[in-house]
Structure formats: C-alpha cells, structure tokens
C-alpha cells in the first residue's frame, strides 16, 4: 500500500550520497569522531554534527557578537550570527551546484565562527599577547567544539572549522571546506559593503569600478554573481587539481574589492575608532581573571588547562554586551557609554531601522 510519505533513514540517506560528485565527501566514509559513538538510526554523521552546532551555547552567543561595526545604532547591521547564516546559505549553494555534500558544507559553515571573541577581530588583537604564537578564532572554534562544549564532531567538520580562514595552512582537506572558505569571503565582502554604505562610511560609487562591473551592487546581485564565478571556475576544464576555485577574472576583481574594504571600511574611524576601548576592556578582563580565577564559572572551564588558557577561554567566549557589562561592574567604569552608539545616522539622513 502506497502512502503520502516515504521513510528515509540514515542508510537511505547515505545511499543517496553515492550519487554525489566524485570529489564529494561521503558521511559513511568519515574519518570519525574523537570519541566513538553508535550511529544514529535516522541521521548521517554530518547531519548530527549540524544539529549539535545549532544547539550549542557558543552558536547562540553569536547573535550578540560584532561582525564589523561595534554596537551599531540600527537593527539591520550584520552581527556575527547573521553573517554565519549568510555564509551557510552561500556554502550550501556552492556545494549543491558542484555535486558536493551540502550537509557537510552546512555544518562547517554554521560552526566556522563560534570561536570569535567579543568585538570582532579587534578582540583577536587584544588577546594576542596572552597566547604564544598568537590567538586566532579558528583554533578557538575547534577548542570550543572539542573541549569546552564536548560536541564530539566528526573530523571533517573540525577540519573545516580549523581551516576556514584563508591565512590558515594547511587548507581544508575537503572540497566542502573549500566551499566554506569562499562562502565566508563572499558573505562578508557583500554584507560589509552594504553596512558601510548604510553607516555612511562609503558610498556605492566608491566601490572599485571593476568590482561593480563584474559583480554588480552589494547584496543579492553581488552574492549571486560571486557564486556563479566559483561554480564556473570549479567546473572549468583547466581546473586540473579538482579544487573549488573562482574564475580568474572575477577572482582578481574580488581581490581588488577586498583590498578596498580593508583600506576604506575595516580600518575606518567608524569601524575601528573605538579600538582602544575594546582592547582595553578585554585585557582588563583577562588580567582581572588571572588574578581571580575563582570567578570563572565551572560550566565553562577546562580545569586541565593552564591558568592563562582557562581565562582566555572564558573572556574570548563573552558577547560584546556581556564583556562591557562585566567590565563596568568590576571596575566601576563606563566603557559601555564610550562604545554606544558608535554609528549614528549618516549626514542628512535618518538612521536605518
């Protein structure tokens, strides 16, 4: 008797993955977890990873962490959480178009920024002196899912989180991880440009002419064109390595746009003008907790780690507003008012809601 539904368990889903492209990563062929577990009857290994990440505390905290602009005065500016969701959409689109494992790309993308400190990349600058070799959010992300939240994710997802940043070597071991690398860059270049225009930092006409010609305007047009360029480059006959790559012409335009964004937006007074406040807040919190380690909650403490690592784990995991509130309470200070709001309405215009 035929009904309206079809039961699809893990075995059926794994069998469906056999239809993916040769370069795709199959869940059944995963290198496994650090702590072996019985298989779920319904979900593949990568589906379980995705679900665990969505329920993680570190993922929830992303909604109150800075993307670019600190404490923006407006509801439509990107946060670290909305950035993550946009990166996930782009990564899934790339994986689907290339016949790769969409669920693996989704899981990596959802977790790629869980290690970010408060105040965005300014937080990385603040934590740099405390960690030998420097502190990086990608390594912290792996530490969170492995040690602090005990998510026990598959090797492939952890590898993708470790290597999602282009500065990390070696690069991702899976093509799905390569999709997330491109998705991250596509996401932040487009939405950060939109936020910079909204904040009055730049005008649309300020964007490099070549980038506007190749990709169109920031937003859905730019995102869609960049995705098409990665699909085109990856499917090109001269992609002998079989890697996920962007077509050469658009790639050069992307490099120009990224250089422009670093010069005109990320280093701008609006984005980084309160850098000294953010860095001071984080370092004072770290120093205070080094002197008073008993203040670190037991629920977020790796007692087997050294004292500095325990403190950096705690402070780097804070949201922007939690860090400011704790700083002001501990030191009877008012860093919060010095940070809020950092963005008012652009000259001659009411702030966007």
């Amino acid at each position: 008797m035929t009904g309206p539904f079809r039961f699809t368990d893990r075995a059926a889903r794994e069998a469906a993955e056999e239809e993916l492209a040769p370069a795709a990563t199959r869940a059944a062929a995963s290198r496994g977890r650090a702590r072996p577990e019985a298989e779920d009857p319904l979900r593949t290994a990568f589906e379980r990873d995705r679900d665990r990440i969505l329920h993680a505390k570190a993922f929830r905290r992303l909604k109150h962490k800075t993307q670019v602009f600190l404490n923006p005065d407006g509801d439509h500016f990107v946060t670290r959480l909305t950035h993550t969701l946009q990166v996930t959409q782009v990564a899934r689109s790339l994986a689907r178009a290339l016949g790769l494992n969409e669920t693996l790309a989704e899981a990596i993308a959802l977790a790629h920024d869980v290690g970010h400190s408060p105040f965005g990349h300014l937080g990385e600058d603040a934590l740099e002196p405390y960690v030998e070799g420097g502190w990086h959010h990608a390594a912290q992300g792996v530490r969170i899912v492995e040690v602090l939240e005990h998510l026990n994710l598959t090797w492939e997802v952890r590898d993708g989180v470790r290597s999602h940043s282009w500065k990390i070597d070696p690069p991702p071991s899976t093509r799905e991880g390569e999709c997330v690398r491109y998705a991250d860059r596509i996401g932040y270049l487009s939405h950060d440009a939109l936020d910079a225009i909204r904040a009055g930092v730049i005008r649309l006409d300020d964007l490099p002419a070549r980038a506007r010609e190749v990709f169109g305007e920031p937003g859905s047009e730019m995102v869609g064109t960049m995705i098409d360029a990665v699909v085109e480059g990856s499917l090109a006959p001269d992609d002998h390595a079989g890697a996920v790559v962007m077509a050469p012409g658009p790639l050069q335009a992307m490099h120009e746009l990224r250089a422009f964004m670093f010069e005109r937006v990320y280093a701008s007074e609006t984005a980084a003008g309160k850098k000294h406040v953010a860095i001071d807040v984080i370092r004072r919190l770290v120093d205070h907790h080094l002197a008073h380690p008993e203040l670190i909650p037991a629920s977020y403490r790796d007692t087997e780690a050294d004292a500095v690592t325990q403190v950096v784990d705690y402070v780097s995991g804070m949201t922007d507003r939690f860090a400011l509130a704790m700083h002001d309470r501990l030191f009877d200070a008012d860093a919060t008012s010095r940070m809020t709001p950092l963005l008012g309405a652009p000259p001659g215009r009411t702030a966007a809601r």
Side-chain angles (χ1 to χ4, degrees), residues 87-131:
V87 169
T88 301
Q89 178 270 312
V90 174
R92 289 182 60 181
S93 295
L94 288 172
R96 188 185 308 118
L98 297 173
L100 300 175
N101 195 315
E102 186 177 342
T103 305
L104 174 55
E106 179 183 22
I108 296 170
L110 286 170
H112 85 281
D113 266 357
V114 295
H116 251 294
S117 63
F119 313 124
H121 290 283
L122 298 179
E124 290 188 318
D125 296 339
L127 294 168
E128 189 86 12
Y130 298 95
V131 180

Side-chain angles (χ1 to χ4, degrees), residues 25-33 45-46 154-156:
T25 307
R26 274 77 177 170
S30 169
R31 292 174 59 170
R33 308 178 188 276
F46 299 149
T154 59
W155 183 91
E156 290 78 10

Side-chain angles (χ1 to χ4, degrees), residues 38-318:
E39 295 284 4
D40 187 89
L42 294 180
R43 297 169 296 171
T44 69
F46 299 149
E47 288 173 336
R48 294 181 82 183
D49 286 355
R50 174 201 57 203
D51 296 347
R52 290 176 181 183
I53 293 159
L54 283 170
H55 290 277
K57 290 183 293 184
F59 181 81
R60 294 197 292 274
R61 290 197 300 270
L62 295 175
K63 67 181 178 180
H64 292 303
K65 291 198 175 189
T66 291
Q67 171 61 20
V68 173
F69 298 110
L70 303 171
N71 290 333
D73 183 16
D75 295 336
H76 294 160
F77 288 95
V78 175
T79 66
R80 190 62 60 178
L81 178 60
T82 56
H83 161 73
T84 294
L85 296 177
Q86 291 177 16
V87 169
T88 301
Q89 178 270 312
V90 174
R92 289 182 60 181
S93 295
L94 288 172
R96 188 185 308 118
L98 297 173
L100 300 175
N101 195 315
E102 186 177 342
T103 305
L104 174 55
E106 179 183 22
I108 296 170
L110 286 170
H112 85 281
D113 266 357
V114 295
H116 251 294
S117 63
F119 313 124
H121 290 283
L122 298 179
E124 290 188 318
D125 296 339
L127 294 168
E128 189 86 12
Y130 298 95
V131 180
E132 185 177 355
W135 187 90
H136 194 274
H137 72 274
Q140 187 65 21
V142 175
R143 179 167 171 76
I144 285 173
V145 301
E146 285 185 341
V147 178
L148 298 177
E149 296 218 26
H150 309 288
L151 299 187
N152 197 29
L153 304 181
T154 59
W155 183 91
E156 290 78 10
V157 174
R158 288 181 283 124
D159 174 74
V161 174
R162 170 198 64 81
S163 58
H164 75 269
S165 173
W166 289 82
K167 69 172 66 174
I168 300 299
D169 193 57
S173 299
T174 66
R175 300 310 184 202
E176 292 82 3
E178 293 174 353
C179 287
V180 174
R181 270 195 169 185
Y182 270 104
D184 188 24
R185 186 162 288 186
I186 289 170
Y188 74 69
L189 286 177
S190 179
H191 62 54
D192 290 353
L194 277 177
D195 274 0
I197 293 169
R198 179 177 290 116
V201 176
I202 60 172
R203 299 173 302 173
L204 178 61
D205 292 346
D206 293 331
L207 294 173
R210 184 174 181 182
R212 284 187 285 123
E213 178 184 352
V214 174
F215 299 128
E217 294 190 8
S220 60
E221 181 182 10
M222 178 175 286
V223 170
T225 308
M226 287 184 171
I227 289 173
D228 290 343
V230 174
V231 173
E232 176 190 348
S234 303
L235 296 178
D238 57 354
D239 181 20
H240 302 299
V244 177
V245 296
M246 181 176 275
L251 182 61
Q252 184 57 42
M254 175 183 270
H255 289 331
E256 292 178 11
L257 176 59
R258 185 172 181 272
F260 169 86
M261 291 293 292
F262 271 88
E263 178 183 354
R264 291 288 302 277
V265 176
Y266 303 135
S268 70
E269 180 67 21
T270 306
K274 298 294 183 179
K275 178 177 181 177
H276 64 287
V277 179
I279 290 178
D280 184 59
V281 165
I282 290 178
R283 289 181 178 172
R284 291 186 77 180
L285 287 173
V286 171
D287 292 341
H288 186 80
H289 284 85
L290 284 173
H292 302 280
E294 70 278 2
L295 296 178
I296 303 174
S299 60
Y300 205 79
R301 189 170 190 168
D302 174 17
T303 56
E304 297 183 2
D306 60 83
V308 172
T309 299
Q310 292 184 41
V311 170
V312 169
D313 281 342
Y314 181 50
V315 175
S316 68
M318 295 178 178

